[in-house]
Amino acid sequence: MSDLQKTVVLLKPDALQRDLLGEIINRFERKGLKIVGLKFIRLTDELLDIHYAHLSDKPFFESLKKFMMQTPVVGIVLEGLEAVSEVRKIIGSTNPRQADAGTIRADFSMNVPSNLIHASDSEETAQNEIKRFFSNHEIFSYEKISDRYIFGEGV
Ligand code: IDP
Ligand code: MG
């Protein structure tokens, strides 16, 4: 299973306010992605300066950071086959109105910045975001009986 990857998801304040945490987590579970890290994170201005550095020259940068600090966010590390691109596929495009039907953003949201969820956009970003948001002891390695059915070995 050489293409097993880890990726980071953040459930944004709108997901918490709208009681969609369980619904969103359920979509990842149904896909077969394994939750290997899960916690509340209180984002700070400093952390968001780094996390959204690629948007620092945008007019919405300050309000985006404010939005992300409204409540704690739920940080999740998911593991699966090609998890980085699979999770991006499941969440859909940044603008929910351009996202494909069936994706989380298309099905449950309508606008930016409140598009419910963040997910790492490349393997390199995922590695950086795991370090940014999680300590080593918060990432778990464990076997599930379903692993061999979902990841496809020894069924
Ligand atoms: P992504 O979340 O799909 O990776 P990015 O371009 O990295 O998209 O943008 C990060 C987040 O910034 C988006 O998810 C959204 O919450 C917010 N954002 C992006 N574009 C806009 C905009 O035009 N206005 C307000 N917020 C935006
Ligand atoms: Mg992004």
Side-chain angles (χ1 to χ4, degrees), residues 12 51-52 54-55 58-61 63-64 67-68 88 91-95 105 111-121:
K12 297 181 180 182
H51 185 62
Y52 283 141
H54 60 293
L55 300 172
K58 302 283 188 204
F60 57 82
F61 185 56
S63 61
L64 170 63
F67 162 63
M68 292 295 288
R88 288 292 297 199
I91 77 170
S93 304
T94 308
N95 179 342
R105 283 167 164 172
N111 211 354
V112 285
S114 43
N115 55 7
L116 297 170
I117 185 164
H118 163 84
S120 312
D121 61 7

Side-chain angles (χ1 to χ4, degrees), residues 70-154:
Q70 279 178 2
T71 68
V73 299
V74 176
I76 307 172
V77 181
L78 294 169
E79 186 175 66
L81 297 171
E82 298 177 36
V84 175
S85 56
E86 286 304 297
V87 167
R88 288 292 297 199
K89 191 160 81 186
I90 289 169
I91 77 170
S93 304
T94 308
N95 179 342
R97 298 193 303 285
Q98 282 162 10
D100 291 334
T103 62
I104 293 167
R105 283 167 164 172
D107 287 358
F108 301 116
S109 65
M110 278 197 220
N111 211 354
V112 285
S114 43
N115 55 7
L116 297 170
I117 185 164
H118 163 84
S120 312
D121 61 7
S122 71
E123 272 194 82
E124 191 189 348
T125 315
Q127 288 310 311
N128 290 335
E129 291 181 351
I130 287 170
K131 284 191 214 112
R132 183 174 307 147
F133 296 116
F134 289 83
S135 307
N136 280 343
H137 72 271
E138 293 173 325
I139 312 280
F140 294 83
S141 175
Y142 60 95
E143 268 182 42
K144 284 169 78 179
I145 290 166
S146 57
D147 281 352
R148 63 194 172 115
Y149 297 97
I150 290 166
F151 299 139
E153 280 188 11

